[in-house]
Amino acid sequence: MKNLIDFIKTAKDGETVNVSKEKYVFQEKDCELTEIYPSNNDGGKQKVAFHIKNKKDVTIDANGARFVFDGKLTPFSIENCENITLKNFTIDFSKPLCVQAKVLDSNEQYVDLEIEKSRFPYKINGENVVWGLNGGENDCASIYIFDYDNDCRTGHKNYIMPNFVIGTHSEKHKDSCFSKTTYGTEYPKYLLVKASEIKGGNIRLTYLQRSARLIYPKGERLVLMFQQDDRSNDTIFVNNCKNVKFENVTISRGLAMGIIAQLCENIEINNCRVAPDTERGDLISTLAD
């Protein structure tokens, strides 16, 4: 949706830009390649859809529009601006950014996962799994397991961060390694497994002999998050700005963090939500913090 990007990008100082209440889809080809350096995240050249730079007294009112992004990109970057207001829109991504699974069975030998293939497409390639997610197919080296139900029940005291390492990716691991929570509880950092498809089009992850094991309760909902080589593409990045307001903004999906503002003065956030689309069945929204 290059026309809308250009329309907002060329807003003059003191102008209010009104956007029609529609669904707009933005792809990587629509983006501007620019260098940004968010704190506590990976910086460098990124594809940015809305790069708002060197503006004063500009309001962007989307009137309830839905901005949907497709690919590995940063939706908004606001730099060197003053008196900027963004309001009345939802940020979403067209495809799932992670995979939701339900435990069918779990024991010392394997973990069986039920995955809604129409929503979270995948295929078995040898002993690996190739996932069809945002940005295309992903045969990921390490898949972080977020135990959604357990974390909701017990809170951060029992929060652990294991990873599935599937198929050929496990070859570089001699063993599972172990980490500790902030409360000293030890857990395996890597679960070394091989994949196969079982009845119903579901996935069996069989533990390798040298792997540690975790046994998950039947029916537990897991969120599988794909570790990339970087931690980039935050949803909204604000840098070196003064008097920036966000009003009635919802982030339904985001590749990393929600809003990062650094080296700024007076950031105002009113009636904004970072929350999954529960009607769609999503369990989580952004993928970091």
Side-chain angles (χ1 to χ4, degrees):
M1 192 59 65
K2 195 73 168 63
N3 291 341
L4 180 59
I5 290 175
D6 290 339
F7 179 52
I8 291 176
K9 186 178 177 180
T10 56
K12 295 180 175 59
D13 288 352
E15 186 176 355
T16 295
V17 178
N18 279 288
V19 178
S20 298
K21 184 181 179 180
E22 299 177 25
K23 175 183 173 181
Y24 302 89
V25 179
F26 307 94
Q27 298 178 323
E28 291 186 30
K29 65 180 182 180
D30 302 321
C31 294
E32 172 186 344
L33 190 63
T34 187
E35 283 191 286
I36 57 177
Y37 293 91
S39 176
N40 195 34
N41 286 262
D42 290 279
K45 291 184 178 180
Q46 296 185 18
K47 295 175 182 178
V48 179
F50 294 98
H51 188 204
I52 302 168
K53 190 174 182 179
N54 301 325
K55 302 287 184 184
K56 284 187 177 182
D57 306 309
V58 171
T59 295
I60 299 170
D61 187 347
N63 296 292
R66 193 173 193 90
F67 296 154
V68 180
F69 300 91
D70 185 9
K72 194 175 188 301
L73 56 88
T74 298
F76 281 88
S77 176
I78 307 168
E79 294 193 274
N80 306 320
C81 292
E82 186 174 343
N83 301 327
I84 304 295
T85 298
L86 276 67
K87 61 182 183 179
N88 301 324
F89 60 90
T90 295
I91 294 175
D92 199 1
F93 276 76
S94 59
K95 297 176 184 176
L97 310 178
C98 53
V99 167
Q100 295 174 196
K102 184 171 74 172
V103 177
L104 294 174
D105 192 14
S106 179
N107 53 44
E108 290 285 346
Q109 284 73 49
Y110 56 78
V111 180
D112 286 348
L113 298 177
E114 178 183 48
I115 297 172
E116 191 177 340
K117 205 169 186 178
S118 59
R119 288 186 64 202
F120 310 103
Y122 65 85
K123 59 185 178 183
I124 304 295
N125 181 18
E127 296 180 348
N128 293 23
V129 183
V130 179
W131 310 90
L133 298 174
N134 180 65
E137 293 188 336
N138 189 340
D139 179 6
C140 195
S142 182
I143 304 172
Y144 163 52
I145 310 160
F146 173 46
D147 189 343
Y148 180 87
D149 287 312
N150 180 70
D151 194 52
C152 290
R153 284 193 306 268
T154 64
H156 67 282
K157 287 188 177 182
N158 293 304
Y159 186 65
I160 63 175
M161 301 177 66
N163 294 264
F164 283 130
V165 183
I166 303 176
T168 56
H169 297 296
S170 67
E171 293 173 0
K172 66 179 181 180
H173 293 271
K174 293 181 179 179
D175 55 42
S176 293
C177 303
F178 283 80
S179 293
K180 288 185 178 181
T181 67
T182 54
Y183 288 83
T185 304
E186 192 173 65
Y187 67 90
K189 186 175 181 180
Y190 301 112
L191 304 177
L192 311 179
V193 297
K194 60 181 180 180
S196 58
E197 194 160 14
I198 58 176
K199 185 178 179 180
N202 298 309
I203 290 178
R204 171 165 291 179
L205 299 176
T206 302
Y207 288 114
L208 302 186
Q209 186 173 359
R210 67 182 186 277
S211 177
R213 274 82 163 151
L214 285 177
I215 299 176
Y216 291 93
K218 292 181 181 179
E220 199 89 338
R221 290 174 294 178
L222 307 181
V223 178
L224 307 182
M225 299 171 63
F226 297 82
Q227 306 296 308
Q228 305 297 332
D229 294 331
D230 58 17
R231 180 170 167 170
S232 56
N233 300 111
D234 299 296
T235 314
I236 300 175
F237 174 54
V238 189
N239 182 53
N240 195 32
C241 292
K242 183 177 181 180
N243 302 330
V244 178
K245 295 182 181 180
F246 299 97
E247 299 178 4
N248 301 318
V249 174
T250 296
I251 300 174
S252 293
R253 284 176 176 167
L255 286 172
M257 291 188 181
I259 299 175
I260 293 183
Q262 64 186 37
L263 304 175
C264 292
E265 182 180 345
N266 298 335
I267 303 295
E268 187 174 330
I269 300 175
N270 295 315
N271 196 32
C272 294
R273 299 173 69 247
V274 180
D277 186 336
T278 54
E279 291 186 5
R280 187 167 54 196
D282 288 358
L283 296 177
I284 63 173
S285 51
T286 56
L287 300 188
D289 293 8

